[in-house]
């Protein structure tokens, strides 16, 4: 499934990425600075939007996604290193990065709480975590629909869960939301997170 999903990902997401998502990503990533860690870099959609940073280290578990991201990495104006690994156990020391970025990835990580703890660990205390994610909606009817669709969606979309309550997970893992925007009636969020303990 991973190979098929990576092959079609950019095509399926193209209309959104050329529209609203492009604006959201650019707005989010202009706040990145210094040494950046990107979690789940996928096909490298974020790579063109990094400008005011010194370097980017990208973690991606799928070799198929890494292969599809190479062209964007080569065209980037900042140095980008891609490491095949997962987010639940990052191969970095504490307090390594000025900025940690996660976009449309917490929905697919098997243990998102562990990933959040790792993001917190490797981010400097004065650093920031920038996220753009789809989340469980506040509307009860739509939230129930997300619950209903998630088992099938997860199979079709390489592990993606529609029903993750990401905001709650952030608050429960020693992180503080310092800036938040919502899109598409609360289905998508853009957040800047600070370290609280």
């Amino acid at each position: 499934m991973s190979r098929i999903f990576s092959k079609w990902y950019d095509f399926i997401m193209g209309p959104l990425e050329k529209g609203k998502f492009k604006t959201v990503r650019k707005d989010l990533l202009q706040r990145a600075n210094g040494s950046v860690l990107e979690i789940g870099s996928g096909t490298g959609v974020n790579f063109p939007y990094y400008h005011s940073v010194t370097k980017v280290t990208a973690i991606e578990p799928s070799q198929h996604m890494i292969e599809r991201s190479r062209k964007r990495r080569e065209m980037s104006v900042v140095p980008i290193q891609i490491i095949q690994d997962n987010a639940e156990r990052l191969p970095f020391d504490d307090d390594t990065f000025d900025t940690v970025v996660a976009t449309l990835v917490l929905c697919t990580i098997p243990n998102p709480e562990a990933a959040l703890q790792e993001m917190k660990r490797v981010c400097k205390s004065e650093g920031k975590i920038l996220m753009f994610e789809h989340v469980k909606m506040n509307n009860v009817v739509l939230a129930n629909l997300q619950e209903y669709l998630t088992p099938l969606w997860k199979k079709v979309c390489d592990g993606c869960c529609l029903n993750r309550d990401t905001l709650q997970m952030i608050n429960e893992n020693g992180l503080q939301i310092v800036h938040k925007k919502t899109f598409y009636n609360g289905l998508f969020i853009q957040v800047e997170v600070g370290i609280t303990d």
Side-chain angles (χ1 to χ4, degrees), residues 2-15:
S2 181
R3 180 185 291 275
I4 297 171
F5 185 71
S6 63
K7 179 179 179 180
W8 290 99
Y9 183 83
D10 284 333
F11 176 78
I12 293 168
M13 295 296 290

Side-chain angles (χ1 to χ4, degrees), residues 15-113:
L16 284 169
E17 292 293 353
K18 292 173 184 175
K20 186 65 176 179
F21 281 16
K22 180 177 181 178
T23 302
V24 173
R25 289 182 189 274
K26 289 175 73 173
D27 177 61
L28 184 72
L29 297 177
Q30 71 179 358
R31 286 178 256 155
N33 66 281
S35 178
V36 176
L37 172 66
E38 180 172 339
I39 302 293
S41 54
T43 61
V45 177
N46 287 331
F47 293 172
Y49 305 132
Y50 289 113
H51 295 285
S52 302
V53 304
T54 54
K55 64 176 182 177
V56 175
T57 303
I59 289 286
E60 171 53 52
S62 168
Q63 183 60 36
H64 305 302
M65 286 289 197
I66 291 173
E67 290 168 4
R68 295 199 165 270
S69 71
R70 294 194 190 282
K71 180 179 284 188
R72 288 185 173 121
R73 184 189 66 176
E74 291 167 1
M75 295 174 63
S76 173
V77 298
V78 301
I80 295 178
Q81 177 188 20
I82 304 174
I83 299 172
Q84 187 176 7
D85 215 324
N86 64 64
E88 291 100 332
R89 185 175 290 179
L90 295 170
F92 308 110
D93 292 334
D94 297 359
D95 306 312
T96 298
F97 298 96
D98 300 292
T99 309
V100 178
V101 171
T103 61
L104 302 183
V105 67
L106 285 176
C107 55
T108 60
I109 295 173
N111 188 340
E113 290 88 352

Side-chain angles (χ1 to χ4, degrees), residues 35-190:
S35 178
V36 176
L37 172 66
E38 180 172 339
I39 302 293
S41 54
T43 61
V45 177
N46 287 331
F47 293 172
Y49 305 132
Y50 289 113
H51 295 285
S52 302
V53 304
T54 54
K55 64 176 182 177
V56 175
T57 303
I59 289 286
E60 171 53 52
S62 168
Q63 183 60 36
H64 305 302
M65 286 289 197
I66 291 173
E67 290 168 4
R68 295 199 165 270
S69 71
R70 294 194 190 282
K71 180 179 284 188
R72 288 185 173 121
R73 184 189 66 176
E74 291 167 1
M75 295 174 63
S76 173
V77 298
V78 301
I80 295 178
Q81 177 188 20
I82 304 174
I83 299 172
Q84 187 176 7
D85 215 324
N86 64 64
E88 291 100 332
R89 185 175 290 179
L90 295 170
F92 308 110
D93 292 334
D94 297 359
D95 306 312
T96 298
F97 298 96
D98 300 292
T99 309
V100 178
V101 171
T103 61
L104 302 183
V105 67
L106 285 176
C107 55
T108 60
I109 295 173
N111 188 340
E113 290 88 352
L116 284 169
Q117 285 295 324
E118 282 291 272
M119 292 162 65
K120 175 184 171 184
R121 179 183 68 79
V122 302
C123 188
K124 295 178 182 178
S125 58
E126 68 277 14
K128 69 189 80 168
I129 300 173
L130 304 174
M131 298 183 189
F132 170 47
E133 298 288 341
H134 69 74
V135 298
K136 188 172 183 177
M137 301 177 77
N138 290 326
N139 181 290
V140 175
V141 174
L142 295 176
N144 287 337
L145 181 61
Q146 286 176 298
E147 292 286 350
Y148 176 77
L149 291 174
T150 289
L152 177 60
W153 187 267
K154 191 175 179 180
K155 290 179 182 178
V156 173
C157 296
D158 206 29
C160 175
C161 298
L162 291 170
N163 60 347
R164 291 251 165 105
D165 194 341
T166 303
L167 289 174
Q168 182 176 331
M169 283 192 292
I170 290 171
N171 289 323
E172 291 177 349
N173 281 276
L175 298 165
Q176 181 180 21
I177 296 171
V178 296
H179 180 79
K180 181 179 78 171
K181 292 182 181 179
T182 60
F183 309 93
Y184 298 103
N185 295 315
L187 176 58
F188 292 91
I189 58 166
Q190 180 205 78

